[in-house]
Amino acid sequence: MSFVKRKNWGRVKPPAGATLNWSDPINEGLYVCHLFTGVGALGQGGVTSKDLAGPNFLNTGGFTAGSTTSSGWNAGLFGPTLTFDGTDDRITFGTPGDANFNKVSGFQAVSIWFKTTSGISQTLVSKGGGGAITTGGWYLNFNASSQLQLTYKRADATSVQNWASSTTYADGRWHHVVCSFCLDTVTQANDAATMYVDGVEISLTRTDIGLPVLLSGAFPKIACREGPVGTNSLFWHGQLDNFRFYIRALSDGEANRLFNEPFAGILPPRS
């Protein structure tokens, strides 16, 4: 008889040296996992936010801070986490090949915790999609109405596909969002998105303009979106924590579990 070893961390962030439990089903298809925690190895007090899913994937993200004193490591919901100033702070993941954040077909999913009071036009996670970037891309952001939105932009920069919530979450409280989506570069009818906030699925309004194209070769980023020639925009103003990226969809139960067990599938450091 086999069993999956688990530890429920509750609302306490695991210490440095924690590892992923690959036998836990919540980690199936997990491509990137950043806890924004730890000393040295995971980046607290430094400029690197190391991927806990490594060494299977080389997705270490470099944190670029701006000039404001509020940027960098500050107290969060679970412990120290990163604060972004909304001007130029961001995390960039290696090269596009290291953390591709792309699938030609099939689902992928983002899970991230956020807190902000400035919800208008700012980005949580992106893979290109900014400005007139010629290879398109996607980004999970707050739109001009402060609604959570997944945007899939085509290469001509005017053909887009949006899935937007009807509610804003720029209320100065911590929230958790899971967004599972399929961006098919061949058959637009296959494109789909599902979004969960604080463990509960929310309704989305879909808008289609244009046709699919190849996805972006831009750098995957947290807290901004990338446009042409490496330019960045729609910077996040607030705090972010506990980011995961999957190369599959997450179920209702898994989205609920990641809300109630923010550090599900993570084991204590080996003694």
Side-chain angles (χ1 to χ4, degrees):
M1 180 177 180
S2 62
F3 65 94
V4 175
K5 183 179 179 181
R6 291 182 177 178
K7 176 177 175 60
N8 189 341
W9 296 94
R11 300 292 184 178
V12 178
K13 191 171 286 191
T19 59
L20 286 171
N21 179 5
W22 289 107
S23 65
D24 192 317
I26 198 67
N27 291 332
E28 180 184 350
L30 182 60
Y31 190 59
V32 177
C33 178
H34 283 268
L35 301 186
F36 300 172
T37 189
V39 177
L42 295 182
Q44 180 180 331
V47 295
T48 299
S49 179
K50 187 177 181 182
D51 179 16
L52 201 62
N56 293 330
F57 303 98
L58 303 176
N59 294 333
T60 298
F63 173 58
T64 302
S67 58
T68 63
T69 56
S70 61
S71 300
W73 296 96
N74 291 280
L77 180 62
F78 313 116
T81 192
L82 284 171
T83 300
F84 301 82
D85 65 7
T87 302
D88 51 10
D89 293 352
R90 61 197 181 275
I91 292 176
T92 303
F93 294 88
T95 65
D98 287 339
N100 206 17
F101 286 27
N102 281 354
K103 291 192 73 176
V104 174
S105 61
F107 275 85
Q108 49 200 325
V110 167
S111 169
I112 194 167
W113 288 80
F114 65 88
K115 177 184 177 182
T116 185
T117 56
S118 305
I120 297 176
S121 300
Q122 56 177 328
T123 306
L124 288 89
V125 185
S126 71
K127 181 68 165 63
I133 189 165
T134 57
T135 49
W138 62 264
Y139 50 98
L140 179 62
N141 72 310
F142 278 23
N143 62 23
S145 300
S146 298
Q147 300 162 328
L148 274 171
Q149 178 172 292
L150 176 70
T151 299
Y152 175 23
K153 185 173 289 186
R154 275 64 180 211
D156 60 11
T158 58
S159 300
V160 298
Q161 197 165 27
N162 297 323
W163 292 264
S165 70
S166 59
T167 304
T168 178
Y169 299 94
D171 53 12
R173 297 186 295 173
W174 279 98
H175 295 283
H176 174 244
V177 60
V178 165
C179 184
S180 294
F181 54 97
C182 174
L183 306 178
D184 196 314
T185 62
V186 178
T187 306
Q188 189 174 23
N190 292 338
D191 293 348
T194 304
M195 203 175 294
Y196 305 84
V197 175
D198 299 337
V200 179
E201 185 178 353
I202 63 172
S203 61
L204 299 175
T205 299
R206 174 172 170 168
T207 303
D208 291 325
I209 305 172
L211 299 173
V213 297
L214 292 176
L215 284 178
S216 174
F219 291 100
K221 295 187 177 183
I222 292 176
C224 76
R225 67 174 187 179
E226 182 175 332
V229 200
T231 58
N232 301 298
S233 61
L234 300 187
F235 290 92
W236 182 259
H237 188 196
Q239 292 184 294
L240 297 172
D241 205 350
N242 196 1
F243 166 66
R244 301 184 187 213
F245 182 83
Y246 291 83
I247 51 174
R248 67 175 179 88
L250 292 174
S251 68
D252 294 8
E254 289 171 323
N256 185 267
R257 183 184 174 196
L258 287 174
F259 171 66
N260 288 293
E261 297 179 50
F263 304 103
I266 297 174
L267 296 174
R270 295 180 180 178
S271 55

